Amino acid sequence: MTPSTLHDVRFIEPEKTRNYLNEDYGVFSWLLTKDHKRIGILYLLSVTLLFFVGGFFAFMLRLELLTPEGDLLTSDTYNKFFTLHGIVMIFFFLIPAIPAALGNFILPLMLGAKDLAFPKINLLSWYIYMTGAIFGIYVIVTGGVDTGWTFYTPFSTQYSNTHVFATTLGAFITGFSSILTGLNFIVTIHRMRAPGLTWFRLPLFVWSMYATSLVMLLATPVLAITLFLLMLERTLGVGIFDPALGGDPVLYQHLFWFYSHPAVYIMILPAMAVISECVAAFTRKKIFGYKFVAFASLAIAFLGFLVWAHHMFVAGISVYSAMIFSFLTMLVAVPSAIKVFNWTATMYRASVSWQTPMLYVMGFIGLFTIGGVTGLFLGAMGVDVHVHDSYFVVAHFHYIMVGGTVMGYLAGIHYWWPKITGRMYPEWWARLSALLIFVGFNLTFFPQFLVGYVGMPRRYHAYAPEFQVLNVLSTAGATVLAAGYILPMFYLFWSLWYGRKAGSNPWGAVGLEWATSSPPPKENFHVTPVVTWDAYDYPAFLKAMRETQNV
Amino acid sequence: MRSDFPLFPEQASTVAPYVDALYLFLVGITGLVSLLIWIAVFYFAIKYRRRPENELAEEIEPPQMLEIAWTVIPAIIFVGIFVAGAWVYFHINRVPDDALDIYATGRQWMWKFQHPSGQREINTLHVPVNRPIRITMASEDVIHSLWFPVFRVKADVLPNRYRTMWFEATKTGRFHIFCAEYCGTQHSGMIGWVEVMEPTAYQRWLAGGAEGSLASQGEKLFQKYACHTCHTNEATGRGPILAGLYGKQIQLTNNSRVLADDNYLRESILNPQAKIAAGFQPIMPTFQGQVNEEELIKLLAYIRSMPAAAPVVAPPTASAGPAATQNKGTVQ
Ligand SMILES: [Cu+2]
Ligand SMILES: [Cu+2]
């Protein structure tokens, strides 16, 4: 049959029953796999587990903050919980989540490749990640750590008597897994593209992943160095940050943010990558301003390296250097704005579907916009002096990291779920959970902007009574949010057995990952694809599929 | 639960209106842009919703001008925000010349304040209204951050050097002081109150018992730590003459020069080997670990109070603050 619409597109599937999931069975077929898809699944399971660990801490924090007094947890426990929440969420969830789980699975498929360039290194990176995570879990069960995820000196080097060493070692080790993933992606994107898949035919997902990988590769070593120096100082008393030994604690902050600001982009660029794909798929349209969006990713990656000291406007840097960093911070906002405008414009005269991934896209655009513009508040130095280290900042980065990255992650999970598992998730349940997450999220974090501006500092175990009402709202929101996150665990699991069979292209989307069976065979494609169409070019894709299926 | 809950902090300093104006301006402009984006998203999502299921969108060639417009216009707005932010920041950092000096020491987990006339208080700070106040501060242990939300100012307090911040209160009353930089177990307990008083009330408060001005207390310490054995008032002393030193350029043995400001004095006492004054031997012992932050503030007040010309030590005055030459206009 010749396909007349996208839904009829069926790539030739010679052995429909054989796929990467039923190719082999047994624990070792997973633990020793070199298949990027299986490694993607390993990552998916591990980051999901750690997401719920981090989420547990967050929920306990919110419960504590229901009342102004520090009554539920002791101060030390509270401090450990917000530290662990930050560390687990950032190092073990947000950074690897989209690139290592979804990216691993999808990137080679999008490129029409059989695997990543270095399959063994890919597996190694998962083991390195797990080693780091085991340090993290060891720290959690043996008493925790209380430095904040930022490990500021001299508190972390001389004053904290918790497991700083094991924690930083864990973060240090995990860093290498993202370096290896970045390296693997870069080489793969350069070397493994299918015939005809030129740079400007690449899906924007790939551009964004490429930019992410560059940042991973270039910034993460600085984190490794910084944490290494910190460990040296803590164990051997080498005076780098310790003022008593002639060191400078502010130097630590420079080094730390030199990594950790770019790390923000390691976390958000992949979400933008997913959003671009979903916008195209659920509007059935070419992304408006493809090249602008592609180059915006690279611009973000580049400028992201030049703004670190905007975290330090009140930390004791000179007025003039603060000015330079503030100016550059304003510039880095431009490419993000470009992306938002282009995604929105793509919806103009499109065919907009209201399926779950698109709901997440709309949520992402809404929340990321708030997160982004409040970043301008923080970049404007005069306002930052007041709101720095207040709940305003907490709200801002949760709008980016949760409203942005987690929304993007969930959009991606739902979008590629049929490809990964071969089954459809139940649409109405998924819509319900997307709605819960959107409402719960705003209720949790919007009040924090207000309470921050009024004067509530972050990382406070007990707070002034006049902040309570807003905190109660926030905790109420967190409860709804938690429900929204737990729901997918059930229906996605359910769908593995009872979900409708997906078929190769359930969305009628373009892109090579939809031109193979679901789940894909071990080697991804039955026939190596030849690309003759531009990214998201629906008519051309359709035509190409027709021709393939006519032969 | 309290029924009154503020959604906006009180404005109680001269800079607060500027910060708030900028903040509200940002709320307005970014709120407007965000609103337009949301409306567009919703409108398109409804107007162009997919029907029938296998519908394909029509392809439109995006006009290049539009891309350029939404790159350039935001960039201009963002740079405008930068300029406004920088202007307010300068304002926040430019210490007026006639500021009254107060010294703050952060330590796990309390704020200690010292007034030039010798008063010392913990977690409470008395200041007069309508008078610029400059706070010179350091930490005894980890990094803290002194925040006065109603004044809209905050600065990190570092263990290795002095930093200054200033404000001029415009309202009398009792307002929060918070530590904003996480500093360990009782971080959220490192809080206090600033009592802004009418100048007469403040004078009355100052009159209440102190063991002499900071400078005179410093003079006692100068004897106690035997500084005077080397730092005499004669050129023949083993150490340099300290009278008149403050605010001067000092020639060092390595031929460079430094400004003798608070941070230089601090370093000279805690880490004397770091910079050696020309013509002297590096014999001064370190007082790190002996002289605590509060004593240091007193010693500095005493050194600052030594007049340049007079050979004998003059009675210290209450207004002995860092001279106006000290890195004015910047947070150090
Ligand atoms: Cu940053
Ligand atoms: Cu603190």
Side-chain angles (χ1 to χ4, degrees), chain A residues 93-122:
Chain A
F93 175 73
L94 288 167
I95 290 177
I98 298 180
L102 291 175
N104 233 327
F105 197 102
I106 294 301
L107 190 79
L109 286 167
M110 281 187 166
L111 296 175
K114 284 195 165 54
D115 206 314
L116 286 175
F118 308 113
K120 286 184 192 149
I121 289 185
N122 196 18

Side-chain angles (χ1 to χ4, degrees), chain A residues 257 260-262 264-265 304 307-311 329 332 396:
Chain A
W257 290 114
S260 292
H261 187 83
V264 171
Y265 296 113
V307 299
W308 75 88
H310 65 204
H311 297 268
T329 301
V332 79
H396 156 71

